[in-house]
Amino acid sequence: SKMFFSLFDSIKISSLKEMNLIFSTNEQFVENLGLALYQFLGKVPSSYYRDQQTTFSAGHPHFSTEYMRCWGRDTMIALRGLLLITNQFDTARETLIMFASVMRHGLIPNLHDQGNNTRFNARDATWFFLQAVQDYIYLSDEAE
């Protein structure tokens, strides 16, 4: 058991060194968010939308590819913790723009599906989107 903890710590330290400098703050919570970020964020060709390639997986293994990968409600809820707190502002901006570009009648899709067969089946996805935009403005340099 001690061997597994030692191995985990080594992998964690190595992974954190590869990430943005914000992870060198020695804040356990932010480090854990950073590790979670790379478990759910990725470039999956079956979920690309125009130039946007980076998307969140709603869950593994069932929600990791194709039309089931990119869920609006889940993405907006996770955006603050996984992208903004970890200082990934470019990816956050791209994600917000990607969802805004397929908005219909003021609604943000719950299921993005590369912008093809978007599904607008979540009443609160738009409210989470608006909160994510507000969080982005307050936490990024673009508020100035």
Short mmCIF file of all heavy atoms in Angstrom, two decimals, residues 8-61:
data_model
loop_
_atom_site.label_atom_id
_atom_site.label_comp_id
_atom_site.label_asym_id
_atom_site.label_seq_id
_atom_site.Cartn_x
_atom_site.Cartn_y
_atom_site.Cartn_z
N PHE A 8 1.85 7.06 -6.69
CA PHE A 8 0.87 8.11 -6.97
C PHE A 8 1.48 9.49 -6.77
O PHE A 8 1.32 10.39 -7.60
CB PHE A 8 -0.38 7.95 -6.09
CG PHE A 8 -1.35 9.09 -6.25
CD1 PHE A 8 -2.19 9.15 -7.35
CD2 PHE A 8 -1.41 10.11 -5.30
CE1 PHE A 8 -3.09 10.20 -7.51
CE2 PHE A 8 -2.29 11.16 -5.46
CZ PHE A 8 -3.13 11.21 -6.57
N ASP A 9 2.19 9.69 -5.66
CA ASP A 9 2.81 10.99 -5.39
C ASP A 9 3.83 11.35 -6.47
O ASP A 9 3.90 12.50 -6.91
CB ASP A 9 3.48 10.99 -4.02
CG ASP A 9 2.47 11.08 -2.88
OD1 ASP A 9 1.32 11.50 -3.14
OD2 ASP A 9 2.83 10.72 -1.75
N SER A 10 4.59 10.38 -6.93
CA SER A 10 5.57 10.65 -7.99
C SER A 10 4.89 11.06 -9.28
O SER A 10 5.32 12.01 -9.96
CB SER A 10 6.43 9.41 -8.24
OG SER A 10 7.18 9.09 -7.12
N ILE A 11 3.84 10.35 -9.65
CA ILE A 11 3.09 10.68 -10.87
C ILE A 11 2.43 12.04 -10.73
O ILE A 11 2.44 12.85 -11.66
CB ILE A 11 2.05 9.58 -11.18
CG1 ILE A 11 2.77 8.29 -11.56
CG2 ILE A 11 1.11 10.03 -12.29
CD1 ILE A 11 1.87 7.08 -11.65
N LYS A 12 1.87 12.31 -9.58
CA LYS A 12 1.21 13.59 -9.34
C LYS A 12 2.21 14.75 -9.46
O LYS A 12 1.94 15.74 -10.15
CB LYS A 12 0.57 13.60 -7.95
CG LYS A 12 -0.13 14.89 -7.60
CD LYS A 12 -0.76 14.79 -6.22
CE LYS A 12 -1.34 16.11 -5.79
NZ LYS A 12 -1.92 16.04 -4.44
N ILE A 13 3.35 14.63 -8.83
CA ILE A 13 4.37 15.68 -8.89
C ILE A 13 4.84 15.89 -10.32
O ILE A 13 4.96 17.02 -10.79
CB ILE A 13 5.55 15.35 -7.95
CG1 ILE A 13 5.09 15.47 -6.49
CG2 ILE A 13 6.74 16.26 -8.22
CD1 ILE A 13 6.07 14.89 -5.49
N SER A 14 5.06 14.81 -11.03
CA SER A 14 5.49 14.90 -12.42
C SER A 14 4.42 15.57 -13.29
O SER A 14 4.74 16.43 -14.13
CB SER A 14 5.80 13.50 -12.96
OG SER A 14 6.10 13.55 -14.31
N SER A 15 3.17 15.21 -13.08
CA SER A 15 2.07 15.80 -13.85
C SER A 15 1.91 17.28 -13.55
O SER A 15 1.71 18.09 -14.47
CB SER A 15 0.76 15.08 -13.54
OG SER A 15 0.84 13.73 -13.91
N LEU A 16 2.00 17.64 -12.30
CA LEU A 16 1.84 19.05 -11.92
C LEU A 16 2.95 19.92 -12.48
O LEU A 16 2.73 21.08 -12.82
CB LEU A 16 1.75 19.19 -10.40
CG LEU A 16 0.48 18.63 -9.77
CD1 LEU A 16 0.59 18.62 -8.25
CD2 LEU A 16 -0.74 19.40 -10.22
N LYS A 17 4.13 19.37 -12.61
CA LYS A 17 5.25 20.13 -13.20
C LYS A 17 4.99 20.46 -14.66
O LYS A 17 5.47 21.46 -15.18
CB LYS A 17 6.55 19.36 -13.07
CG LYS A 17 7.12 19.37 -11.67
CD LYS A 17 8.42 18.60 -11.60
CE LYS A 17 8.94 18.57 -10.19
NZ LYS A 17 10.17 17.78 -10.07
N GLU A 18 4.23 19.61 -15.35
CA GLU A 18 3.92 19.82 -16.76
C GLU A 18 2.82 20.85 -16.97
O GLU A 18 2.60 21.32 -18.08
CB GLU A 18 3.50 18.50 -17.42
CG GLU A 18 4.59 17.45 -17.45
CD GLU A 18 5.75 17.84 -18.35
OE1 GLU A 18 5.49 18.41 -19.42
OE2 GLU A 18 6.89 17.57 -17.96
N MET A 19 2.10 21.18 -15.91
CA MET A 19 0.95 22.08 -16.02
C MET A 19 1.34 23.53 -15.82
O MET A 19 2.47 23.86 -15.52
CB MET A 19 -0.12 21.66 -15.01
CG MET A 19 -0.70 20.31 -15.27
SD MET A 19 -1.94 19.93 -14.03
CE MET A 19 -2.10 18.18 -14.30
N ASN A 20 0.35 24.38 -15.92
CA ASN A 20 0.50 25.81 -15.75
C ASN A 20 1.11 26.14 -14.39
O ASN A 20 0.94 25.41 -13.43
CB ASN A 20 -0.89 26.44 -15.87
CG ASN A 20 -0.85 27.92 -16.12
OD1 ASN A 20 -0.07 28.62 -15.50
ND2 ASN A 20 -1.68 28.38 -17.02
N LEU A 21 1.79 27.27 -14.28
CA LEU A 21 2.46 27.66 -13.05
C LEU A 21 1.53 27.84 -11.86
O LEU A 21 1.98 27.80 -10.73
CB LEU A 21 3.25 28.96 -13.27
CG LEU A 21 4.44 28.84 -14.20
CD1 LEU A 21 5.09 30.21 -14.39
CD2 LEU A 21 5.44 27.84 -13.68
N ILE A 22 0.25 28.04 -12.10
CA ILE A 22 -0.67 28.21 -10.98
C ILE A 22 -0.67 26.99 -10.06
O ILE A 22 -0.95 27.08 -8.88
CB ILE A 22 -2.10 28.54 -11.44
CG1 ILE A 22 -2.94 28.97 -10.24
CG2 ILE A 22 -2.75 27.37 -12.12
CD1 ILE A 22 -4.05 29.89 -10.56
N PHE A 23 -0.28 25.85 -10.58
CA PHE A 23 -0.29 24.64 -9.77
C PHE A 23 0.90 24.55 -8.82
O PHE A 23 0.96 23.69 -7.99
CB PHE A 23 -0.34 23.40 -10.66
CG PHE A 23 -1.56 23.36 -11.51
CD1 PHE A 23 -1.48 23.54 -12.86
CD2 PHE A 23 -2.80 23.18 -10.94
CE1 PHE A 23 -2.61 23.53 -13.64
CE2 PHE A 23 -3.94 23.18 -11.72
CZ PHE A 23 -3.84 23.35 -13.07
N SER A 24 1.85 25.45 -8.96
CA SER A 24 2.99 25.43 -8.06
C SER A 24 2.71 26.20 -6.77
O SER A 24 3.61 26.49 -6.01
CB SER A 24 4.23 26.00 -8.76
OG SER A 24 4.01 27.36 -9.05
N THR A 25 1.47 26.54 -6.53
CA THR A 25 1.10 27.30 -5.34
C THR A 25 1.03 26.44 -4.09
O THR A 25 0.84 26.96 -3.01
CB THR A 25 -0.27 27.98 -5.53
OG1 THR A 25 -1.25 26.96 -5.71
CG2 THR A 25 -0.25 28.93 -6.71
N ASN A 26 1.14 25.14 -4.25
CA ASN A 26 1.06 24.19 -3.14
C ASN A 26 -0.31 24.18 -2.48
O ASN A 26 -0.44 23.81 -1.32
CB ASN A 26 2.15 24.45 -2.09
CG ASN A 26 3.52 24.12 -2.63
OD1 ASN A 26 3.68 23.17 -3.40
ND2 ASN A 26 4.50 24.91 -2.24
N GLU A 27 -1.32 24.60 -3.18
CA GLU A 27 -2.69 24.50 -2.67
C GLU A 27 -3.25 23.17 -3.13
O GLU A 27 -3.44 22.94 -4.31
CB GLU A 27 -3.55 25.65 -3.19
CG GLU A 27 -3.17 27.00 -2.63
CD GLU A 27 -4.10 28.09 -3.10
OE1 GLU A 27 -5.30 27.82 -3.29
OE2 GLU A 27 -3.62 29.21 -3.28
N GLN A 28 -3.51 22.29 -2.18
CA GLN A 28 -3.98 20.94 -2.48
C GLN A 28 -5.25 20.94 -3.31
O GLN A 28 -5.38 20.17 -4.26
CB GLN A 28 -4.21 20.18 -1.16
CG GLN A 28 -4.60 18.74 -1.35
CD GLN A 28 -3.43 17.88 -1.76
OE1 GLN A 28 -2.29 18.15 -1.42
NE2 GLN A 28 -3.70 16.84 -2.52
N PHE A 29 -6.18 21.82 -2.98
CA PHE A 29 -7.45 21.87 -3.70
C PHE A 29 -7.25 22.23 -5.17
O PHE A 29 -7.80 21.59 -6.06
CB PHE A 29 -8.40 22.87 -3.03
CG PHE A 29 -9.74 22.95 -3.68
CD1 PHE A 29 -10.64 21.90 -3.59
CD2 PHE A 29 -10.12 24.07 -4.39
CE1 PHE A 29 -11.88 21.96 -4.19
CE2 PHE A 29 -11.36 24.15 -5.00
CZ PHE A 29 -12.24 23.09 -4.90
N VAL A 30 -6.44 23.25 -5.44
CA VAL A 30 -6.18 23.68 -6.81
C VAL A 30 -5.41 22.59 -7.57
O VAL A 30 -5.67 22.33 -8.74
CB VAL A 30 -5.44 25.03 -6.85
CG1 VAL A 30 -5.07 25.42 -8.27
CG2 VAL A 30 -6.29 26.12 -6.22
N GLU A 31 -4.48 21.95 -6.91
CA GLU A 31 -3.75 20.85 -7.54
C GLU A 31 -4.71 19.72 -7.93
O GLU A 31 -4.61 19.16 -9.02
CB GLU A 31 -2.67 20.31 -6.61
CG GLU A 31 -1.49 21.25 -6.45
CD GLU A 31 -0.44 20.71 -5.51
OE1 GLU A 31 -0.63 19.61 -4.93
OE2 GLU A 31 0.59 21.37 -5.36
N ASN A 32 -5.64 19.39 -7.05
CA ASN A 32 -6.61 18.34 -7.36
C ASN A 32 -7.52 18.74 -8.51
O ASN A 32 -7.88 17.90 -9.35
CB ASN A 32 -7.41 17.98 -6.12
CG ASN A 32 -6.59 17.23 -5.10
OD1 ASN A 32 -5.57 16.64 -5.43
ND2 ASN A 32 -7.00 17.27 -3.85
N LEU A 33 -7.91 20.01 -8.57
CA LEU A 33 -8.70 20.48 -9.71
C LEU A 33 -7.90 20.34 -11.00
O LEU A 33 -8.44 19.94 -12.04
CB LEU A 33 -9.11 21.95 -9.52
CG LEU A 33 -10.22 22.23 -8.53
CD1 LEU A 33 -10.40 23.73 -8.35
CD2 LEU A 33 -11.52 21.60 -8.98
N GLY A 34 -6.63 20.67 -10.95
CA GLY A 34 -5.77 20.54 -12.13
C GLY A 34 -5.67 19.10 -12.61
O GLY A 34 -5.72 18.83 -13.81
N LEU A 35 -5.54 18.19 -11.69
CA LEU A 35 -5.48 16.77 -12.08
C LEU A 35 -6.82 16.31 -12.65
O LEU A 35 -6.86 15.56 -13.63
CB LEU A 35 -5.08 15.91 -10.88
CG LEU A 35 -3.66 16.12 -10.37
CD1 LEU A 35 -3.43 15.33 -9.08
CD2 LEU A 35 -2.64 15.72 -11.42
N ALA A 36 -7.91 16.78 -12.07
CA ALA A 36 -9.24 16.42 -12.59
C ALA A 36 -9.45 17.01 -13.98
O ALA A 36 -10.06 16.36 -14.84
CB ALA A 36 -10.33 16.91 -11.64
N LEU A 37 -8.94 18.21 -14.20
CA LEU A 37 -9.07 18.86 -15.50
C LEU A 37 -8.57 17.94 -16.61
O LEU A 37 -9.24 17.75 -17.62
CB LEU A 37 -8.29 20.17 -15.50
CG LEU A 37 -8.04 20.83 -16.86
CD1 LEU A 37 -9.35 21.29 -17.46
CD2 LEU A 37 -7.08 21.99 -16.69
N TYR A 38 -7.41 17.36 -16.43
CA TYR A 38 -6.83 16.54 -17.48
C TYR A 38 -7.43 15.15 -17.57
O TYR A 38 -7.12 14.40 -18.47
CB TYR A 38 -5.31 16.51 -17.34
CG TYR A 38 -4.75 17.87 -17.68
CD1 TYR A 38 -4.36 18.76 -16.70
CD2 TYR A 38 -4.69 18.28 -19.01
CE1 TYR A 38 -3.89 20.02 -17.03
CE2 TYR A 38 -4.22 19.54 -19.34
CZ TYR A 38 -3.83 20.40 -18.35
OH TYR A 38 -3.39 21.65 -18.69
N GLN A 39 -8.30 14.82 -16.65
CA GLN A 39 -9.04 13.57 -16.76
C GLN A 39 -10.30 13.73 -17.61
O GLN A 39 -10.77 12.78 -18.21
CB GLN A 39 -9.44 13.06 -15.38
CG GLN A 39 -8.25 12.64 -14.54
CD GLN A 39 -8.67 12.24 -13.15
OE1 GLN A 39 -9.75 11.69 -12.94
NE2 GLN A 39 -7.84 12.54 -12.17
N PHE A 40 -10.84 14.96 -17.66
CA PHE A 40 -12.10 15.18 -18.36
C PHE A 40 -11.99 16.04 -19.61
O PHE A 40 -12.89 16.06 -20.43
CB PHE A 40 -13.13 15.81 -17.41
CG PHE A 40 -13.58 14.88 -16.35
CD1 PHE A 40 -13.04 14.92 -15.08
CD2 PHE A 40 -14.55 13.93 -16.62
CE1 PHE A 40 -13.45 14.03 -14.09
CE2 PHE A 40 -14.97 13.03 -15.66
CZ PHE A 40 -14.42 13.09 -14.39
N LEU A 41 -10.90 16.77 -19.77
CA LEU A 41 -10.73 17.67 -20.91
C LEU A 41 -9.83 17.01 -21.94
O LEU A 41 -8.81 16.44 -21.58
CB LEU A 41 -10.12 18.99 -20.45
CG LEU A 41 -10.05 20.10 -21.47
CD1 LEU A 41 -11.44 20.65 -21.73
CD2 LEU A 41 -9.14 21.21 -20.97
N GLY A 42 -10.22 17.07 -23.20
CA GLY A 42 -9.37 16.47 -24.22
C GLY A 42 -9.80 16.82 -25.62
O GLY A 42 -10.85 17.44 -25.84
N LYS A 43 -8.98 16.42 -26.55
CA LYS A 43 -9.27 16.62 -27.97
C LYS A 43 -9.71 15.28 -28.55
O LYS A 43 -8.90 14.37 -28.70
CB LYS A 43 -8.04 17.15 -28.69
CG LYS A 43 -7.64 18.53 -28.22
CD LYS A 43 -6.44 19.05 -28.96
CE LYS A 43 -6.13 20.45 -28.45
NZ LYS A 43 -5.02 21.07 -29.15
N VAL A 44 -10.99 15.18 -28.85
CA VAL A 44 -11.57 13.96 -29.38
C VAL A 44 -12.14 14.28 -30.75
O VAL A 44 -13.11 15.05 -30.85
CB VAL A 44 -12.66 13.41 -28.43
CG1 VAL A 44 -13.32 12.18 -29.02
CG2 VAL A 44 -12.07 13.11 -27.07
N PRO A 45 -11.55 13.75 -31.82
CA PRO A 45 -11.99 14.11 -33.18
C PRO A 45 -13.49 13.96 -33.43
O PRO A 45 -14.07 14.74 -34.17
CB PRO A 45 -11.19 13.15 -34.07
CG PRO A 45 -9.97 12.85 -33.29
CD PRO A 45 -10.42 12.83 -31.85
N SER A 46 -14.13 13.02 -32.80
CA SER A 46 -15.56 12.81 -33.04
C SER A 46 -16.42 13.89 -32.38
O SER A 46 -17.63 13.91 -32.56
CB SER A 46 -16.00 11.44 -32.54
OG SER A 46 -15.85 11.35 -31.14
N SER A 47 -15.80 14.81 -31.63
CA SER A 47 -16.58 15.88 -31.00
C SER A 47 -16.07 17.27 -31.38
O SER A 47 -16.45 18.25 -30.77
CB SER A 47 -16.58 15.72 -29.48
OG SER A 47 -15.28 15.89 -28.97
N TYR A 48 -15.21 17.35 -32.40
CA TYR A 48 -14.72 18.66 -32.85
C TYR A 48 -15.88 19.51 -33.37
O TYR A 48 -16.81 19.01 -33.99
CB TYR A 48 -13.71 18.51 -33.99
CG TYR A 48 -12.36 17.98 -33.59
CD1 TYR A 48 -11.39 17.76 -34.53
CD2 TYR A 48 -12.05 17.71 -32.27
CE1 TYR A 48 -10.14 17.26 -34.19
CE2 TYR A 48 -10.81 17.21 -31.91
CZ TYR A 48 -9.86 16.99 -32.87
OH TYR A 48 -8.63 16.51 -32.53
N TYR A 49 -15.78 20.82 -33.13
CA TYR A 49 -16.75 21.76 -33.68
C TYR A 49 -15.96 22.90 -34.32
O TYR A 49 -15.33 23.68 -33.62
CB TYR A 49 -17.67 22.30 -32.59
CG TYR A 49 -18.62 23.35 -33.09
CD1 TYR A 49 -19.66 23.00 -33.95
CD2 TYR A 49 -18.47 24.68 -32.74
CE1 TYR A 49 -20.54 23.96 -34.43
CE2 TYR A 49 -19.35 25.63 -33.21
CZ TYR A 49 -20.37 25.28 -34.05
OH TYR A 49 -21.23 26.23 -34.53
N ARG A 50 -15.98 22.94 -35.63
CA ARG A 50 -15.21 23.94 -36.40
C ARG A 50 -13.77 23.91 -35.92
O ARG A 50 -13.12 22.89 -35.97
CB ARG A 50 -15.87 25.30 -36.30
CG ARG A 50 -17.25 25.34 -36.92
CD ARG A 50 -17.85 26.70 -36.87
NE ARG A 50 -19.23 26.66 -37.36
CZ ARG A 50 -20.13 27.55 -37.08
NH1 ARG A 50 -19.82 28.59 -36.32
NH2 ARG A 50 -21.35 27.44 -37.55
N ASP A 51 -13.27 25.04 -35.43
CA ASP A 51 -11.88 25.09 -34.96
C ASP A 51 -11.73 24.65 -33.51
O ASP A 51 -10.62 24.49 -33.02
CB ASP A 51 -11.32 26.51 -35.12
CG ASP A 51 -11.19 26.92 -36.57
OD1 ASP A 51 -11.03 26.02 -37.42
OD2 ASP A 51 -11.26 28.12 -36.85
N GLN A 52 -12.84 24.50 -32.82
CA GLN A 52 -12.81 24.11 -31.41
C GLN A 52 -12.62 22.60 -31.30
O GLN A 52 -13.46 21.83 -31.75
CB GLN A 52 -14.10 24.53 -30.71
CG GLN A 52 -14.23 24.09 -29.28
CD GLN A 52 -13.29 24.83 -28.35
OE1 GLN A 52 -12.79 25.87 -28.67
NE2 GLN A 52 -13.05 24.26 -27.20
N GLN A 53 -11.52 22.19 -30.71
CA GLN A 53 -11.23 20.76 -30.60
C GLN A 53 -11.28 20.26 -29.17
O GLN A 53 -11.46 19.08 -28.93
CB GLN A 53 -9.86 20.47 -31.20
CG GLN A 53 -9.78 20.78 -32.68
CD GLN A 53 -8.41 20.48 -33.26
OE1 GLN A 53 -7.50 20.10 -32.55
NE2 GLN A 53 -8.29 20.65 -34.55
N THR A 54 -11.13 21.14 -28.21
CA THR A 54 -11.08 20.74 -26.82
C THR A 54 -12.48 20.75 -26.21
O THR A 54 -13.17 21.75 -26.26
CB THR A 54 -10.17 21.70 -26.02
OG1 THR A 54 -8.90 21.75 -26.66
CG2 THR A 54 -10.00 21.23 -24.60
N THR A 55 -12.89 19.62 -25.66
CA THR A 55 -14.20 19.51 -25.03
C THR A 55 -14.09 18.71 -23.74
O THR A 55 -13.13 17.97 -23.52
CB THR A 55 -15.22 18.81 -25.96
OG1 THR A 55 -14.71 17.53 -26.32
CG2 THR A 55 -15.50 19.63 -27.20
N PHE A 56 -15.10 18.86 -22.89
CA PHE A 56 -15.20 18.07 -21.67
C PHE A 56 -15.94 16.77 -21.94
O PHE A 56 -16.90 16.74 -22.70
CB PHE A 56 -16.01 18.81 -20.59
CG PHE A 56 -15.24 19.86 -19.87
CD1 PHE A 56 -15.53 21.20 -20.08
CD2 PHE A 56 -14.26 19.53 -18.97
CE1 PHE A 56 -14.84 22.18 -19.41
CE2 PHE A 56 -13.56 20.50 -18.29
CZ PHE A 56 -13.86 21.83 -18.50
N SER A 57 -15.52 15.74 -21.27
CA SER A 57 -16.27 14.49 -21.27
C SER A 57 -17.21 14.53 -20.08
O SER A 57 -16.79 14.87 -18.97
CB SER A 57 -15.32 13.30 -21.13
OG SER A 57 -16.05 12.13 -20.88
N ALA A 58 -18.46 14.20 -20.31
CA ALA A 58 -19.43 14.20 -19.21
C ALA A 58 -19.19 13.02 -18.27
O ALA A 58 -19.64 13.04 -17.13
CB ALA A 58 -20.85 14.17 -19.76
N GLY A 59 -18.51 12.01 -18.71
CA GLY A 59 -18.21 10.86 -17.88
C GLY A 59 -17.65 9.72 -18.72
O GLY A 59 -17.96 9.60 -19.89
N HIS A 60 -16.82 8.94 -18.09
CA HIS A 60 -16.18 7.82 -18.80
C HIS A 60 -16.82 6.51 -18.38
O HIS A 60 -17.20 6.36 -17.23
CB HIS A 60 -14.69 7.79 -18.48
CG HIS A 60 -13.96 9.02 -18.88
ND1 HIS A 60 -13.73 9.35 -20.19
CD2 HIS A 60 -13.42 10.03 -18.16
CE1 HIS A 60 -13.07 10.48 -20.25
NE2 HIS A 60 -12.88 10.92 -19.02
N PRO A 61 -16.96 5.53 -19.22
CA PRO A 61 -16.62 5.50 -20.65
C PRO A 61 -17.78 5.90 -21.56
O PRO A 61 -17.59 6.14 -22.73
CB PRO A 61 -16.27 4.04 -20.88
CG PRO A 61 -17.21 3.30 -19.98
CD PRO A 61 -17.34 4.18 -18.75
#
